[in-house]
Amino acid sequence: MTKRRIVVALGGNAILSKDASAEAQQQALRDTAKYLVQFIKQGDDLIVSHGNGPQVGNLLLQQAAGSTDKNPAMPLDTAVAMTQGSIGYWMQNALGEEIAKAGLDKDVTTVVTQVEVNADDQAFTNPTKPIGPFYTKDEIGAIKDAHPDQTFVEDAGRGYRRVVPSPRPTGVKEYKAINAMVEAGIVPISVGGGGVPVVQEGNRLVGREAVIDKDFASEKLAELVNADLLIVLTAVDNIYINFNKPDQKKLETVSVAELKQYIDQDQFAKGSMLPKVQAAIDFVEHSNGGKAVVTSLENVGNFLKNGDGTIITK
């Protein structure tokens, strides 16, 4: 099989579900690494990205609780960088262990990645990206009273969460360095948490209070490094239409045109599947013959063996 360059986007909720301790998240990533190492065993060049929604929200809460005049809480862009570092450390540690177990010789390195956004993106006045823990209907009143400057919404039937601006990425500052790592046989972990959102002001990149959707950031990176495949991992093996209804249907191989029709029919939930579908479409449309795949982490083996999952083609 021809060696492929593959960007795999992993969700932040896959790393942190209920137990927010470092030990639990490290164990989740050790479990994840067992699946990801299959790409390396097959000889593919792998670039890993990940979300950070739960982690960055929790970090902001921890900082707010301990903030003083002499030791103030850090802004959101810095908190994104901090979670890039912590999750990247856990992931490179776990993946390195699995690579060694497989008898392979590969380094894994985390890149603190700056992702460029447009300063006048409308997202800055319309926060939509959920971060942090879920709150029940009973809890949310007191939370809103305590943080009147923050916005909270109901998130896909799972409870209430804080939402922050989520501008679209226009570039990835470190893509050439990431490319060079891949060429050198290194596995980069990059655009973690969607990357640190920055805008260009003269020669300076200035951080912004936002969290970029990791699927869109992964798509932009996949474009820039000329990836053959963008794999967006989610909770289900396939994209479905009429999801959770008696006539639900799984999509296996689907064209961009078909997916756009399904988007027009409101087939995909805005807070969960829709951005994954949109990122997949963007990559297929803008790459040089690349394909996108939406499937689950647990289905990676079946995808590599039989092509199982939803494969999006031009």
Side-chain angles (χ1 to χ4, degrees), residues 2-17:
T2 309
K3 181 164 82 166
R4 299 172 296 182
R5 181 168 294 194
I6 300 175
V7 174
V8 175
L10 181 75
N13 287 304
I15 307 162
L16 193 172
S17 51

Side-chain angles (χ1 to χ4, degrees), residues 14-291:
I15 307 162
L16 193 172
S17 51
K18 291 180 180 169
D19 186 342
S21 68
E23 292 79 9
Q25 294 185 73
Q26 285 171 293
Q27 183 57 53
L29 283 166
R30 280 194 288 273
D31 296 338
T32 296
K34 290 178 172 64
Y35 294 101
L36 295 181
V37 78
Q38 294 176 72
F39 293 105
I40 300 167
K41 284 180 181 176
Q42 188 169 278
D44 292 319
D45 287 332
L46 182 64
I47 299 169
V48 183
S49 67
H50 61 82
N52 73 341
Q55 294 84 356
V56 76
N58 287 355
L59 177 59
L60 291 173
L61 290 173
Q62 290 165 353
Q63 292 204 53
S67 180
T68 64
D69 288 343
K70 288 187 177 179
N71 186 25
M74 294 293 107
L76 181 50
D77 59 311
T78 301
V80 170
M82 291 163 80
T83 55
Q84 277 193 13
S86 59
I87 297 170
Y89 153 57
W90 295 333
M91 190 177 289
Q92 68 188 46
N93 185 286
L95 199 48
E97 182 182 346
E98 287 303 316
I99 289 168
K101 278 186 193 173
L104 299 168
D105 183 20
K106 277 264 185 190
D107 285 334
V108 186
T109 301
T110 299
V111 182
V112 176
T113 318
Q114 301 172 97
V115 173
E116 294 162 80
V117 299
N118 196 321
D120 47 19
D121 190 310
Q122 292 183 345
F124 285 112
T125 56
N126 179 31
T128 57
K129 177 69 178 168
I131 64 169
F134 290 90
Y135 298 106
T136 65
K137 200 167 186 177
D138 293 337
E139 292 171 322
I140 196 62
I143 299 288
K144 283 180 177 177
D145 289 344
H147 302 282
D149 56 325
Q150 297 178 6
T151 307
F152 295 85
V153 299
E154 201 276 329
D155 181 12
R158 297 174 291 180
Y160 291 83
R161 290 177 88 186
R162 182 184 172 190
V163 286
V164 297
S166 185
R168 283 289 190 112
T170 59
V172 178
K173 182 65 178 171
E174 289 78 17
Y175 86 89
K176 290 178 185 174
I178 293 161
N179 214 26
M181 287 180 178
V182 175
E183 297 287 348
I186 297 165
V187 178
I189 299 164
S190 54
V191 295
V196 180
V198 293
V199 298
Q200 189 84 41
E201 292 184 6
N203 291 324
R204 178 187 286 182
L205 291 171
V206 180
R208 284 286 186 266
E209 289 270 322
V211 174
I212 300 166
D213 187 286
K214 71 102 180 37
D215 296 319
F216 291 128
S218 304
E219 184 283 320
K220 183 56 68 177
L221 177 64
E223 264 184 61
L224 291 168
V225 299
N226 295 314
D228 300 295
L229 210 55
L230 169 66
I231 301 180
V232 179
L233 297 177
T234 184
V236 289
D237 293 350
N238 291 76
I239 300 172
Y240 285 83
I241 54 170
N242 303 322
F243 187 58
N244 275 342
K245 294 177 182 172
D247 60 342
Q248 80 169 18
K249 176 189 168 189
K250 74 176 176 180
L251 303 178
E252 294 178 281
T253 299
V254 60
S255 72
V256 163
E258 289 173 274
L259 279 180
K260 286 181 176 178
Q261 288 179 341
Y262 294 137
I263 289 172
D264 290 341
Q265 296 167 13
D266 287 332
Q267 286 283 357
F268 310 121
K270 285 182 181 171
S272 52
M273 188 56 79
L274 182 60
K276 294 171 176 54
V277 171
Q278 289 171 323
I281 288 172
D282 285 352
F283 177 67
V284 173
E285 286 190 327
H286 299 139
S287 67
N288 185 20
K291 293 179 181 177

